[in-house]
Amino acid sequence: MKRRTAIGTLGAMGALALTGPQRALAQQPILIKFSHVVTNDTPKGKGALKFKELAEKYTGGKVKVEVYPNSTLYKDKEEMDALNSGAVQILAPSTAKFRPIGVPEFEALDLPYIFEGDAGYDKVVNGPIGKGLLKKLEAKGITGLAFWDNGFHMVSANTPLLMPADFQGLKIRISGSKIADLYFRALGALPQILAFSEVYQALQTGVVDGCENTPSNYYTQKFYEVQKHITVSDHAHLQYAVITNTKFWMGLPPDIRAQLDKAMDEASEYTNSIAKQENADSLAKIKASGKTTLHALTPAQVTAWKAAFKPVYKEAESRVGKTIVDELLKSAGITI
Ligand code: LMR
């Protein structure tokens, strides 16, 4: 992915004028903190570690990347503030979490059944829609570096979720997306926003009845141990936008930034190439655990879900904007 280059050059003249202690300080590696909320053993977790490896290698150690997984540094809501204040330099939040920084359009990617399989998803994020979304971040002082894939959502509860009526009155955890809020309400459920790090306990204690997520997140957070039934519904997609603070990124020496861009491009390619298999492996492990019952939807059940979701696309316009909804519907070939 091509990104902007060349502002904020640190000139050689400046380096010559440094005193001894300043020079020693200038030789310290540039520190990049990369915070995220999932474990190291997920597509995003592995992607962050791959970026660290490549960034440190390509800059010859001039950059040090510290990866903080599994909400060890920040929980969902605190992440964006930390990026704005400069307390952290790279994040990879799901696109459901961009409303607080004033770019709710990202949530449109959460629309139900909006991607025709993996190819449909790839076409959107790698095409004009994805590029347009990343561009919207510029006005917020944020630079979008990449989209990272984590596949399609499953949904779960302690009762089987096969038809829309099965959701009636269930409290379902969502991560913050007003689109997920819409589609769970369309199924008759009561969506509740909770930080990712709080989901396991909320499921275990019955604060919520169910949740949605991808197999890799169900497996690594052990959600499957506290949910009796999981439906492999593929009803929506989970993706991340990898972002950095523009002032920080553009203030880097251009040669360093170019190496980091290369590291990010390769780490993104890697992450996106493993997401499908990682999720398939997690699903197989969940199945093998025998701790939950996995369900697939029949074509008739999928048709019933799609019918229930029909009003969501129109309602989404006032939440994320008509333009982005129209673009996605057109891309998916859905008419409303
Ligand atoms: C969630 O909150 O469910 C997800 O955003 C977690 C993640 O980053 O995969």
Side-chain angles (χ1 to χ4, degrees):
M1 183 186 296
K2 285 279 165 287
R3 283 181 284 277
R4 292 173 302 159
T5 47
I7 60 164
T9 310
L10 293 182
M13 292 303 285
L16 285 178
L18 295 179
T19 64
Q22 282 172 331
R23 213 169 298 121
L25 205 64
Q27 279 161 6
Q28 295 273 320
I30 297 164
L31 179 63
I32 294 183
K33 293 186 182 178
F34 187 155
S35 169
H36 64 80
V37 300
V38 296
T39 70
N40 280 330
D41 202 16
T42 57
K44 178 162 64 178
K46 290 186 178 182
L49 291 174
K50 177 59 82 180
F51 173 72
K52 171 184 167 63
E53 174 200 320
L54 297 176
E56 292 178 354
K57 181 168 125 192
Y58 293 156
T59 61
K62 287 191 189 137
V63 167
K64 181 171 159 45
V65 180
E66 289 178 356
V67 176
Y68 295 90
N70 215 19
S71 311
T72 42
L73 200 54
Y74 299 108
K75 287 196 205 175
D76 304 19
K77 272 197 195 138
E78 307 154 353
E79 279 193 332
M80 292 294 195
D81 287 345
L83 190 71
N84 281 325
S85 74
V88 69
Q89 286 71 40
I90 299 187
L91 300 174
S94 82
T95 55
K97 296 177 183 172
F98 282 72
R99 183 172 293 269
I101 54 157
V103 198
E105 289 88 344
F106 275 84
E107 288 178 3
L109 299 178
D110 301 338
L111 281 165
Y113 294 120
I114 204 68
F115 301 125
E116 277 289 339
D118 299 317
Y121 164 77
D122 288 342
K123 185 177 86 177
V124 165
V125 295
N126 297 323
I129 299 178
K131 289 192 172 70
L133 283 171
L134 294 184
K135 185 137 186 62
K136 282 185 187 297
L137 295 170
E138 286 176 13
K140 309 293 173 191
I142 290 174
T143 297
L145 300 173
F147 282 103
W148 284 5
D149 187 4
N150 193 8
F152 287 93
H153 278 295
M154 315 194 288
V155 65
S156 63
N158 285 321
T159 47
L161 301 171
L162 300 174
M163 288 295 281
D166 300 331
F167 286 84
Q168 197 58 45
L170 292 186
K171 284 178 274 166
I172 304 284
R173 179 269 173 174
I174 58 169
S175 66
S177 168
K178 294 250 187 263
I179 298 300
D181 179 89
L182 276 178
Y183 66 65
F184 279 120
R185 284 186 198 284
L187 294 172
L190 304 169
Q192 304 216 351
I193 299 173
L194 277 180
F196 187 60
S197 58
E198 290 160 14
V199 179
Y200 178 87
Q201 206 184 1
L203 293 169
Q204 191 184 36
T205 57
V207 167
V208 291
D209 301 302
C211 67
E212 64 174 350
N213 231 303
T214 58
S216 58
N217 279 344
Y218 268 88
Y219 182 67
T220 53
Q221 298 293 327
K222 303 191 186 337
F223 297 160
Y224 68 101
E225 293 185 356
V226 286
Q227 294 278 267
K228 291 199 173 73
H229 295 273
I230 300 178
T231 304
V232 186
S233 46
D234 294 348
H235 61 279
H237 196 274
L238 179 58
Q239 56 283 317
Y240 311 107
V242 187
I243 54 175
T244 185
N245 181 315
T246 304
K247 222 189 260 172
F248 165 76
W249 199 252
M250 299 314 281
L252 290 167
D255 58 326
I256 296 274
R257 191 170 54 243
Q259 298 303 338
L260 293 180
D261 277 339
K262 180 166 137 78
M264 181 53 72
D265 287 348
E266 291 178 20
S268 300
E269 217 166 277
Y270 165 78
T271 310
N272 292 331
S273 76
I274 62 168
K276 199 178 175 65
Q277 192 58 48
E278 289 283 319
N279 277 302
D281 292 349
S282 292
L283 189 60
K285 287 186 230 168
I286 291 171
K287 191 170 181 189
S289 77
K291 293 198 169 154
T292 188
T293 304
L294 290 169
H295 302 272
L297 294 178
T298 65
Q301 287 161 344
V302 173
T303 302
W305 286 46
K306 287 188 173 171
F309 288 147
K310 196 102 189 158
V312 166
Y313 304 106
K314 190 80 203 148
E315 289 163 6
E317 292 176 358
S318 65
R319 301 201 170 193
V320 296
K322 181 165 165 40
T323 308
I324 183 84
V325 174
D326 283 349
E327 285 170 356
L328 283 165
L329 289 174
K330 192 167 164 220
S331 164
I334 298 174
T335 46
I336 56 170

